[in-house]
Amino acid sequence: MDFEPAAEGFAFEVAPELTVAYEPAEALSRFFAAAAVGIEEQLSLPEHGVVIATRVVLRRARADTSGSHELAFKIAGYLAGRKALERTGCPRL
């Protein structure tokens, strides 16, 4: 995932060239949406009523029938958001 500053709000995109071999393919959109929720939760500052303005682009993903589900992607998104914050030195307030 690529994290970039945004003018305002939170935006999550899936790179157009991203392909993931997974059946049923319809599940991927739910998985990606769950990842976005996890990231947004990590970047939220509810006590201030804001989300850190960020644009996130999903560039690579893997999915398999035994371990892939929405919760796994949500947790992965949450952890990716946390790692992005650590890399920028931005503390969670």
Side-chain angles (χ1 to χ4, degrees):
M1 288 185 218
D2 291 337
F3 288 75
E4 306 169 355
E8 62 183 14
F10 174 77
F12 180 85
E13 302 170 22
V14 177
E17 67 275 6
L18 176 65
T19 58
V20 180
Y22 183 82
E23 290 296 328
E26 304 81 45
L28 290 173
S29 62
R30 290 194 325 270
F31 294 167
F32 298 159
V37 168
I39 295 166
E40 190 171 15
E41 284 180 6
Q42 181 61 35
L43 300 179
S44 292
L45 304 171
E47 59 277 2
H48 300 285
V50 298
V51 174
I52 297 171
T54 309
R55 176 179 175 253
V56 180
V57 180
L58 180 62
R59 303 235 180 248
R60 291 185 300 155
R62 290 186 309 178
D64 63 67
T65 55
S66 64
S68 295
H69 47 80
E70 290 173 55
L71 181 58
F73 273 76
K74 182 177 178 181
I75 292 169
Y78 186 87
L79 294 173
R82 176 180 284 178
K83 191 170 191 175
L85 288 173
E86 289 172 358
R87 285 185 176 173
T88 63
C90 181
R92 289 248 328 140
L93 301 174

